[in-house]
Amino acid sequence: MADSGVTDEPGTKDDVHRAKTEGKELSKEEKQRLRKEKKQQKKNKEKKDEKASHESEKKKNKEEKPVSAAAPASQPPTQPSTQKAPSAVPAPAPVPVPVSETPALADKPAKTKADLKAERRARQEAERASKQAATSKPKAPPNELQPVVKRLPEHVQVDNPGVLKKLAKKLERQQIPLRLDYGYKVSLFSHLHQYSRKAPLTQQLSIPSTVIHPAIVRLGLQYSQGIVAGSNARSVALLHAFKQVIRDYTTPPNEELSRDLVNKLKPYISFLSQCRPLSASMGNAIKYIKKEISNIPSQCKEEEAKRKLLSCIDCYIDEKIILAAKAIAKSSIEKISNGDVILVYGCSSLVNHILCEAFEKNIKFRVIVVDSRPRLEGREALRRLVQRGISCTYVLISAVSYILPEVSKVFLGAHALLANGYVMSRVGTSQIALVAKAFNVPVLVCCETYKFCERVQTDSFVSNELDDPDDLIVTRKGKTQLEHWQDVPSLGLLNLVYDVTPPDFVDLVITDLGMIPCTSVPVVLRVKNVDQ
Amino acid sequence: MSTMVQVVNLTTMPGPDKETDLTERIEAFLSDLKRGGSGTGPLRGSAETARETTALLRRITAQARWSSAGDLMEIIRKEGRRITAAQPSETTVGNMIRRVLKIVREEYARSRGSSEETDQQESLHKLLTSGGLSEENFRQHFATLKANVIEAINELLTELEGTTDNIAMQALEHIHSNEVIMTIGRSRTVEAFLKDAARKRKFHVIVAECAPFCQGHEMATSLSKAGIETTVIADAAIFAVMSRVNKVIIGTQTVLANGGLRAVNGTHTLALAAKHHSTPLIVCAPMFKLSPQFPNEEDTFHKFVSPHEVLPFTEGEILSKVNVHCPVFDYVPPELITLFISNIGGHAPSYIYRLMSELYHPEDHEL
């Protein structure tokens, strides 16, 4: 485990390391410092089970990032934080820096240490500046070959009782009820949560709840009941709720807005992720908000700061979602020609927008909407398209092989685009892409860049969402076959929400940056990170 | 001479009662077929249909008026055309009729005294030369023909009784422990197959529910009652889950002459997903499902049922402006299939044509 001593004094460690490599004898102070660091390491190894909240560490890391980024490779990976990185799934806010785990520091003691930390930070800055002047090393871009040690998010470690205990403690501290799993889980998915829609988290909240803002409570309920669904809708709803939170926020005395507001947001985010696991787009939006908040200068007055934040959020929604949709529609319309038969799956707001725009431009085409149980989202898409006057056909996903010989193009929406080129989308998308490939029909995926994600994934098992299994039950001709599935011990129902489509099934990805192949996603991510 | 008189007596004796009885039964069978073919799940399994068809044919042989094999075949063909027209998608009916016709031909040939070998040589010869031997007109009368034919039909019936068990007996050769097997919809053959293997081995079954009729639910409840670990998934999750599946075992409605399948809709997707993951696709199909049809007859291949299964009438506002399709069957090409397991053993899809030539006579392919 990384110790606080190391990350607080990477500059000194660097000195020591350099001294060692150059063969100079360590000065007395350096030797002392080394001994202290080693002692700290040992202490932290013992205390590593009592961890503070993850978010407070991440925040500290963010602040220390500019410092420790200067000493990337020289940090010897003594941190057995590698124990947490079977590098599969990174944290929702991936920190490309070795994670420092501070031993159980409650919030209060951390604040008294904050002054010491500020001192140390100032010293590090000075040392860094001198070192840079001395060695004139080019500053490596933040993503360059870092030993990336990412932490697995809690929601894919449900089978680990230690993680569950930590989560329970964290939620208790934040005064958020813990949502319990429901029903028999298929063994392949024992590492994921499975909640029941009939037991929303809000039932367990006490009234009046002073911890969670009412807009957030309402949002959480809308998520868990499926009233707000679809990644764009969820992100926009989240951002609007945060705007409300910011409007109602007042800085307590002796606090800085930039730090306190972020701390206020943390329990809300925990609550929302308990209601329904956060989507990739929501994760990116939250990262953006947190960055904006922490970048507010401390001299800024509260009213001005709030105004600034609200305008930032509006700007984000405008740029990343609304304008992006316009740009994507413009590019996609070039791909739709007269006489086309276009197949769409489920209800993607972006694809519907594109089709409506194309119809406005008087292109003659017809649409085939493919739908699947149990969500039956295609009916919503069907309603929207029929309202505009587009001629539509409607089938279920099992009839896709029947209808595909008529189809000339397939347009799919995405929930997220992963860094290895895989498309994460509603379950069934990969199937449609597979059958379209077999019939040689081009598959086009439409996705805004704010949904690009640094995660990598090769199958639909490691990270997914399990929906309420009772949704699969259906009553036909008065008989409900699976009514008592809970009573039968060897029967399980599986209701997946997402799946991943391999990049060889996808012919083109249309984004607001242009039309790219699936494999160019990491390039876009890198360019975005350098810009920021 | 006396035998001839006897035969004449037999045929003149029935009179209107037996005739009407026979026609009544045929009509009842026809209406049954028409009703059962609404596609809302098989109300009767194919095995039952096959058995009933064969029993009906036996009755026709016993009760109808005929004097020579040619007459009998004419009668059977005529009734057969009516029955298949009632429910064209129920191909087992047509298959049984062709089997019985072949039986009649064989019995006739045997009565004439020509040996088995020349028969086969005849067919092989016919493969090479178009003209072949002289046309049999089946006009000759044999006294024992009726009894022989009825006996052969009885053998056929016993064979039909045992098909499911014969297939289930082969289960342990194909399923090992701790496997994950995937199936779709409901097939009685596959159910028996899996239950037989479950007596000795422990494995996991994933059932795709096969909307909109959701026969998969019935299959899952039945399998789980037999103690097999079962999971029900939605059709949309077939590809997502396929990477963990070791084998795909399915039933089918018909096996076509090229080795392809006409199976419940969703099977083509399943087969493509299995091919992508190189998972073997095993089809459990008894011999009576083998049909001399080819899949190019686009008009007759697909069968559709009421679209309200897909888009119910509650969506009334958009219902009138939308085309809704609800096909019942899917075509699966033979390249996607690994193995056929039938009551006479396992075969590759490329062998199907040979089996067909043994079961049916080429002239009976068109009824």
Side-chain angles (χ1 to χ4, degrees), chain A residues 213-273:
Chain A
H213 192 281
I216 302 282
V217 174
R218 186 178 60 174
L219 187 66
L221 189 60
Q222 284 173 333
Y223 282 166
S224 69
Q225 300 300 102
I227 299 171
V228 173
S231 62
N232 275 346
R234 282 165 75 190
S235 308
V236 170
L238 177 74
L239 291 169
H240 281 300
F242 276 176
K243 269 170 68 177
Q244 189 63 39
V245 167
I246 291 173
R247 270 188 224 115
D248 295 339
Y249 171 75
T250 44
T251 326
N254 299 334
E255 295 287 348
E256 264 185 50
L257 179 132
S258 55
R259 250 183 263 145
D260 186 59
L261 185 53
V262 179
N263 283 340
K264 273 267 165 16
L265 289 180
K266 279 179 208 156
Y268 301 163
I269 296 169
S270 306
F271 173 72
L272 289 176
S273 62

Side-chain angles (χ1 to χ4, degrees), chain A residues 184 186 373 379 383 392-394 398 401-402 428 430-431 434 459 461 472 476-477 481-482 490 492 494 505, chain B residues 40 209 211-213 217-218 224 229-232 235-236 238-239 244 266 268-269 304 309-310 315 323 325:
Chain A
Y184 168 69
V186 179
R373 278 197 75 238
R379 292 196 187 160
R383 269 179 230 124
C392 297
T393 308
Y394 179 77
S398 36
S401 327
Y402 162 71
S430 52
Q431 227 166 281
L434 169 79
D459 61 31
F461 290 85
L472 284 178
R476 284 184 53 85
K477 297 191 184 167
Q481 282 288 336
L482 296 177
S490 39
L494 185 60
F505 292 162
Chain B
T40 51
E209 65 176 7
F213 308 116
H217 293 190
E218 268 183 63
S224 58
E229 282 280 332
T230 321
T231 306
V232 178
D235 295 331
I238 288 178
F239 185 75
R244 291 294 175 276
H268 188 213
T269 311
F304 298 90
E309 306 277 352
V310 172
E315 302 280 338
N323 292 332
H325 298 288

